[in-house]
Amino acid sequence: MNAPQTPSPSGVQPATGYAGDISPDLAWAWVQSGEAELVDVRSDAERAWVGFVPGAHALAWKQWPGMAMNTSFDAGVQALGAGGKKLVLLCRSGVRSIAAAQRATELGLEAYNILEGFEGDPDGNAHRGLTGGWRFRGLPWQQN
C-alpha cells in the first residue's frame, strides 16, 4: 500500500503505478460533474450484502468462489474508459481498488483509487463503517 502523502492542490495524492489516491468526496464530485465514471470493483456478493452506490458501474476485480480474478475485468474497464473520462475505483477498504487502478493504468486509462473505500478502515474493535469511507461520509448508497 502506498504511504500517505500530501495531496496536491487538486486533492490528488501522488501514487506509484496509477493516477493517484483521492477522497470519497472528491470522487463523488468528479462523478457528479461528469468528469469521471465510478467503478465498484467489489464482488457481486459484497455489493449485495453490504450495499452499493446507485449508478456505479459494477465491475468486480475478483469474484467468488475463491476470489478468483475476473477474466472480464480488462474488457470491462476498457469499455468504461473508452470515452476518455477519469475512472474512480471503489472497493471495501481502498486496497483492491489500488490493484485495479494499476491494471487500468497499464491498459492506458486514467484511474484513481478512492481512499478508505466503501466501508472505511477498521476501528479499535475491528468494526468497519465507523471511522471513514463512502458510507460514513454520507455519500449516496443503498442496501438491497
Side-chain angles (χ1 to χ4, degrees), residues 66-81:
M67 293 304 282
M69 287 301 302
N70 178 0
T71 57
S72 300
F73 181 82
D74 286 3
V77 80
Q78 286 176 311
L80 291 171

Side-chain angles (χ1 to χ4, degrees), residues 46-132:
E46 286 175 288
R47 285 189 308 278
W49 186 58
V50 180
F52 63 96
V53 178
H57 301 282
L59 182 61
W61 174 244
K62 294 184 175 183
Q63 257 326 354
W64 291 102
M67 293 304 282
M69 287 301 302
N70 178 0
T71 57
S72 300
F73 181 82
D74 286 3
V77 80
Q78 286 176 311
L80 291 171
K85 287 185 181 180
K86 301 171 188 175
L87 300 178
V88 292
L89 294 107
L90 179 71
C91 71
R92 179 184 183 194
S93 63
V95 175
R96 274 176 287 168
S97 50
I98 289 173
Q102 289 171 334
R103 180 61 186 150
T105 300
E106 290 170 2
L107 295 169
L109 304 169
E110 184 179 355
Y112 296 82
N113 168 54
I114 299 175
L115 293 167
E116 303 172 351
F118 187 74
E119 295 183 64
D121 295 327
D123 66 11
N125 295 314
H127 297 128
R128 291 189 182 270
L130 303 173
T131 61

